[in-house]
Amino acid sequence: MSGGRSGRTQALELDFRTRVIQVLAIETAVRYAILAVFVDVQPQWVNVGLAGVAVVAALVAALVRRRVIESHVPGRILIGAAMLTIATLSVSVSQADLAVITSFSLLALTLSAITLDTYRAGAILGALGTALAVFVAVTRSTIPLAVVLIYIGLVVSGGYLIVKLRLFLELARDNALTQAGTDSLTGVLNRRGMESAVPALDARADALGQLLGCLVLDLDHFKHVNDTYGHQTGDLVLINTAHTLSREVRSPSLVVRTGGEEFAVFSPVADALELDQLAGRLTARLRSSMTERASGEILPRVTVSIGGAAGRAGTMTELDALFAEADRLLYEAKRAGRDTIRIATRGNLT
């Protein structure tokens, strides 16, 4: 089984964060290089400072070019230091108009902080950037109120749009992950969802001093149902089976459709005996359940073969091993004549 989707999603988010920092650094380097070279900035040390900012920004862009930044800390340090440096230069430059223009670089840094960081840290950095920009506007502009109102208006509107976009994208991501981990026919988990959810369930069982039981179920003679009644009716049987299993197992147990007519149930258990009892209840419930066709015809009752094992599934290696053991016992049950249960006896806490 492959790795979970959440890991790839996190990798994409980290790569996005790194690329935005790179673009921000390149844009900063270009802007201040142009100011340092082509604009007569006074006093002269401010001009040197702008050139220094451009060089540092270019180095940052080069350093992150082939890396993925996994922590928020470098971005926070970079943005915070850039805010303080720009504010200092804006206050020090002799040309008042240039000071106000330069201070609006704080707007880009503020919106970048809101975009890249957690909501709380982004709000703190954004407040710092706004406070510095207001300070520059009040001390250097001939019309400070106008500058402050324009700046705050841009921060509020831009920040609001960014936050709403982030919420929308996070919701879309969560929905996509949910759909990717759910079987579209039956509504229970699929293999991808199993890989994401089972380790968390194993951790919960382990915290309670329990094992994680795995039952692999296969509908007996399902091909006969499809051949006799058609695939649409076969789908109804699968849906009914999934709903029956979901109703019978207790939370936080998981029901998975692993493919075709095969299902799996994961449940915390004390030992192999409890797992065997669960398998017996599921078998009895499925035998007594009925599937009704649209025409009102009642289909023959479903029987299942079950293989089961109890152990640990906190890692993908453990999950693979546990599932493989239950799957092996499933085929022993099918060879024994179907409608049979085979449970590994070594799954216990002693």
Side-chain angles (χ1 to χ4, degrees):
M1 289 178 284
S2 60
R5 173 66 176 270
S6 58
R8 173 163 174 76
T9 301
Q10 183 181 22
L12 290 172
E13 291 174 348
L14 292 174
D15 183 70
F16 169 75
R17 183 193 306 162
T18 304
R19 299 290 76 79
V20 170
I21 291 176
Q22 184 182 18
V23 170
L24 178 64
I26 293 173
E27 184 264 345
T28 301
V30 171
R31 181 196 304 125
Y32 289 106
I34 292 174
L35 284 175
V37 174
F38 297 104
V39 179
D40 182 20
V41 180
Q42 298 297 328
Q44 189 62 37
W45 72 265
V46 175
N47 200 54
V48 175
L50 292 174
V53 171
V55 171
V56 172
L59 289 175
V60 170
L63 288 173
V64 303
R65 181 169 179 263
R66 297 186 182 278
R67 298 185 182 182
V68 174
I69 299 176
E70 298 184 0
S71 170
H72 286 288
V73 174
R76 291 170 184 170
I77 294 174
L78 176 64
I79 291 174
M83 285 178 173
L84 293 173
T85 301
I86 292 169
T88 301
L89 295 175
S90 299
V91 171
S92 303
V93 69
S94 59
Q95 299 97 320
D97 291 339
L98 182 59
V100 174
I101 293 172
T102 305
S103 72
F104 266 80
S105 298
L106 294 168
L107 175 62
L109 293 170
T110 297
L111 296 180
S112 296
I114 297 172
T115 302
L116 292 173
D117 217 324
T118 61
Y119 289 111
R120 182 176 180 180
I124 293 173
L125 282 172
L128 172 63
T130 301
L132 290 172
V134 169
F135 174 75
V136 172
V138 170
T139 57
R140 300 306 311 276
S141 176
T142 56
I143 46 173
L145 181 60
V147 175
V148 169
L149 290 176
I150 291 172
Y151 188 93
I152 292 179
L154 291 172
V155 169
V156 171
S157 59
Y160 174 79
L161 291 174
I162 289 172
V163 169
K164 295 298 288 185
L165 179 60
R166 282 186 62 174
L167 290 173
F168 172 78
L169 292 176
E170 289 168 3
L171 179 60
R173 178 199 62 194
D174 293 343
N175 288 338
L177 289 174
T178 299
Q179 293 176 5
T182 303
D183 178 58
S184 58
L185 176 65
T186 62
V188 299
L189 296 176
N190 57 21
R191 277 185 175 267
R192 181 171 290 173
M194 176 180 75
E195 293 167 2
S196 298
V198 169
L201 180 60
D202 177 77
R204 183 169 180 174
D206 191 31
L208 296 173
Q210 296 179 303
L211 297 170
L212 186 65
C214 171
L215 298 175
V216 181
L217 308 83
D218 189 83
L219 302 187
D220 296 327
H221 307 294
F222 185 71
K223 184 176 183 300
H224 174 73
V225 174
N226 276 335
D227 293 343
T228 304
Y229 301 99
H231 289 278
Q232 186 174 6
T233 298
D235 287 347
L236 291 176
V237 172
L238 293 173
I239 293 170
N240 183 60
T241 300
H243 290 176
T244 300
L245 293 174
S246 298
R247 287 193 302 267
E248 185 63 23
V249 299
R250 294 187 297 270
S251 178
S253 300
L254 302 172
V255 177
V256 183
R257 183 187 176 198
T258 55
E261 67 271 26
E262 186 176 280
F263 293 84
V265 172
F266 292 89
S267 181
V269 295
D271 49 32
L273 176 60
E274 184 177 349
L275 183 62
D276 185 56
Q277 292 171 343
L278 174 60
R281 290 200 305 272
L282 295 179
T283 300
R285 181 64 67 183
L286 288 170
R287 284 199 201 103
S288 63
S289 67
M290 296 181 293
T291 301
E292 182 177 353
R293 302 179 71 185
S295 62
E297 178 185 1
I298 302 299
L299 298 179
R301 288 179 172 83
V302 173
T303 63
V304 294
S305 300
I306 300 179
R312 294 264 69 92
T315 66
M316 289 306 304
T317 300
E318 290 175 336
L319 175 55
D320 285 341
L322 180 63
F323 187 89
E325 176 68 1
D327 196 50
R328 181 185 67 79
L329 290 164
L330 165 65
Y331 282 94
E332 282 191 13
K334 295 184 79 69
R335 285 195 296 269
R338 293 180 170 83
D339 194 14
T340 305
I341 299 171
R342 290 288 185 271
I343 302 294
T345 58
R346 66 174 180 275
N348 54 65
L349 295 175
T350 60

